[in-house]
Amino acid sequence: MAFLARLFKRSTGLDQEREDAHQQGVRDARRHALHEFTDPDCRPAYLGEVRAMARERIARLDRELAEVRTALLREAGEARQAVLRMTVDFARPASPNGTHAANGRGEDEFISIAEARRRREERRRAAEARDSAERVFGARAQVERLAREWDGAVLRRNHDVEQVHAWAQRMIAAYRSGVMRAHPRREEIPPLWKGEVIAMDTAAPVAGSEEMGGLLEEVERRVELWQAEVNGRRELTTSQPPELEEAAPDEKGDA
């Protein structure tokens, strides 16, 4: 019921605006010089008022979009910096020389203290790798989410701008109907008055989309390179699957 009440109220308000525009057209057609409506190079003052109101509404929508753009780009930039920092500072596995020498022990029941330490270090590095991967992928997911939020904000802005255009056209149509009703030379009124159409500026949304897309592309490229580097080093430094390393007994070596 509340929705229907709001819808009825909005429809009623729009109907009143149309009626006011229609009556304004009737009054202007009776009061103003005939050439103001029949000369294609002239534009009735009412059309300028509607245009100014529409442009102000669109400007307000663009200011709101600019605020969203600033906030989202700031968050995306912070996430990008986090990805760059984590992928650069990631602790790399130990050099392969010591690893292969230690792995030559085979399946001895008892292992040396050095071997136990090596295995603990490998487990620690594996845990660090998992933690780093979670944080890196989390930061990338955040940038992706922010990019989707920006796309949604642009879609809402464009929809609202179209609504403003539709409102302006309805007001102009209602005004024209009033002029046509009262003007003695209605057949000479041009089909489109100069300046009647309001242009939609898309520069800001496009620029914001390019910036956000560039950030996302940079982050994804960096994560791919990081993954390739980590996987390559893991192959060089690990002679057996991590699952076997995790299962290898080291408690006796700690004693």
Side-chain angles (χ1 to χ4, degrees):
M1 292 298 293
F3 169 77
L4 293 177
R6 288 195 302 271
L7 181 61
F8 176 76
K9 182 179 180 180
R10 185 171 62 182
S11 300
T12 302
L14 181 59
D15 290 342
Q16 185 60 51
E17 282 187 304
R18 285 176 177 167
E19 180 60 25
D20 292 343
H22 178 83
Q23 293 302 325
Q24 185 68 44
V26 171
R27 290 192 296 270
D28 288 353
R30 291 171 178 172
R31 297 174 183 173
H32 293 239
L34 297 180
H35 77 277
E36 291 188 19
F37 303 97
T38 58
D39 187 348
D41 293 330
C42 288
R43 183 179 65 194
Y46 178 81
L47 296 189
E49 295 174 4
V50 170
R51 181 183 176 87
M53 292 176 64
R55 293 181 72 86
E56 173 55 32
R57 294 183 183 182
I58 293 174
R60 184 172 64 250
L61 292 172
D62 285 341
R63 287 194 296 271
E64 294 173 355
L65 183 66
E67 293 175 359
V68 173
R69 172 184 174 182
T70 299
L72 293 181
L73 284 176
R74 182 177 61 251
E75 289 188 56
E78 292 173 355
R80 167 187 170 275
Q81 289 299 325
V83 168
L84 295 179
R85 184 175 61 255
M86 288 184 291
T87 54
V88 169
D89 296 342
F90 171 68
R92 294 177 172 83
S95 62
N97 296 331
T99 303
H100 288 307
N103 283 340
R105 291 189 155 273
E107 299 296 332
D108 292 347
E109 182 179 359
F110 296 98
I111 61 176
S112 67
I113 294 177
E115 175 68 6
R117 288 174 178 171
R118 185 192 68 78
R119 295 186 180 184
R120 284 199 301 271
E121 180 64 16
E122 286 187 355
R123 285 197 296 271
R124 183 185 67 81
R125 289 180 180 277
E128 287 181 355
R130 287 192 296 271
D131 180 65
S132 295
E134 289 179 1
R135 288 185 285 122
V136 167
F137 295 143
R140 183 181 67 176
Q142 182 182 9
V143 176
E144 293 173 344
R145 175 183 61 80
L146 294 171
R148 289 193 299 271
E149 285 190 27
W150 170 252
D151 291 339
V154 171
L155 288 176
R156 288 191 298 272
R157 177 263 181 191
N158 290 342
H159 173 75
D160 291 341
V161 169
E162 290 174 358
Q163 292 293 98
V164 173
H165 277 245
W167 168 85
Q169 295 299 339
R170 284 194 293 267
M171 294 304 101
I172 291 171
Y175 179 80
R176 186 193 300 277
S177 69
V179 172
M180 296 289 288
R181 173 183 170 185
H183 201 284
R185 289 161 52 186
R186 61 180 61 89
E187 68 280 357
E188 300 180 31
I189 296 176
L192 184 67
W193 278 310
K194 184 178 180 181
E196 183 175 331
V197 177
I198 304 165
M200 181 190 298
D201 182 17
T202 58
V206 169
S209 297
E210 290 177 350
E211 288 178 289
M212 189 66 72
L215 280 173
L216 180 58
E217 182 179 351
E218 181 182 1
V219 167
E220 289 180 340
R221 183 169 59 251
R222 179 57 195 170
V223 171
E224 289 176 1
L225 293 173
W226 174 78
Q227 279 186 287
E229 179 183 4
V230 170
N231 291 337
R233 289 181 176 271
R234 182 179 295 129
E235 291 176 0
L236 289 174
T237 58
T238 305
S239 61
Q240 57 181 333
E243 295 81 6
L244 296 179
E245 292 182 3
E246 298 258 352
D250 62 345
E251 292 80 7
K252 297 180 181 180
D254 293 337

